[in-house]
Amino acid sequence: MTSHPVVSVIVPAYNSAPLLRDFLGACLTSEYRDFEVIINDDLRSTDGTRALTEQFRADGLDVTYLRENHSMAQGRKRGAAEARGSILLHLDSDMKVTPGLLGECVELLAGGYDALVIPEEAFGTTFWARCKWLEKKIYDGVEEIESLRCVRRAVYDRLGGHDERMVFSEDKDFDLRVRKAGYAVGRTRNFLYHNEGDLRLQKTMRKKLGYSGTADLFATAHPEAFRWQTNIFHRFGLYLRNFPYAFSHPLLYGGLWVMKVGEFGSGAVGQVRHRLAVRHGGPA
């Protein structure tokens, strides 16, 4: 391995040791070997992530442990500052690379692309996790929803990287800035596994409730994209166009509708709560 790996895989984390064990194990099976992994752990983490990274380093994986993660966007950007590679791959701790993914990223960027979207295959142990699998299938190839994950280091630096102020759709914000700047965005054939775990309906609704209250910054930066994302008819139109899933996976298709109605309702409540708080002198 060279002193400067080609690919830097950057992962913000928060009490994610069990997930990271699978993530780092999958990295060891990568057919492409010239890469490093940077784990940027949250300041509040209390699990054994540091010890876990040391264990994998002893097994031969080029992995660096940071403990300077304050938020998803800041964690990604701080990890990128530490990276030695010319290609940055921003992943989450509940993901796993497939054996051919890193090599394909290198090949596609060498072939003229500046950044890459990577398809996801979701899985989990609950009914709602399987509904998420179906949701991601429906979003496959929809540019308004998917976000790039792999990017040339030079492009990342030129655009200033992730916006540390962003909480809502911080990854889509960077995706939109890359596309607006005119860079070539491609798509891999290899995919990522995304572990939804024991996802519950209440959990996904609470997540939307929290994130939507921080959406104003994204809405100001990307008003057209925000209107598309929050227009219920755009999303539900996608589900209706994929109506054949109602025959192949009828329970999941019905569950998807229940989940998304709940998420949109929670998102609307979060926005109203945020704006009332601002009106009464709360945080913007």
Side-chain angles (χ1 to χ4, degrees), residues 88-92 95 116 118 120 147-150 192:
L88 305 181
L89 180 57
H90 291 279
L91 301 182
D92 299 337
M95 294 176 168
L116 300 169
I118 302 173
E120 295 179 18
S147 299
L148 64 87
R149 292 197 171 275
C150 185
L192 291 163

Side-chain angles (χ1 to χ4, degrees), residues 9-59:
V9 184
I10 300 160
V11 186
Y14 172 56
N15 279 342
S16 305
L19 293 168
L20 286 170
R21 182 177 297 280
D22 291 341
F23 176 88
L24 295 171
C27 288
L28 284 174
T29 69
S30 173
E31 296 164 358
Y32 185 83
R33 302 303 305 166
D34 200 359
F35 70 94
E36 66 172 346
V37 179
I38 298 171
I39 304 295
N40 191 2
D41 205 7
D42 194 286
L43 298 171
R44 301 164 296 170
S45 286
T46 56
D47 65 356
T49 295
R50 181 191 292 273
L52 182 70
T53 57
E54 290 173 354
Q55 175 188 332
F56 275 87
R57 190 182 304 118
D59 290 340

Side-chain angles (χ1 to χ4, degrees), residues 86-99:
S86 59
I87 294 173
L88 305 181
L89 180 57
H90 291 279
L91 301 182
D92 299 337
S93 59
D94 55 1
M95 294 176 168
K96 290 194 296 184
V97 299
T98 44

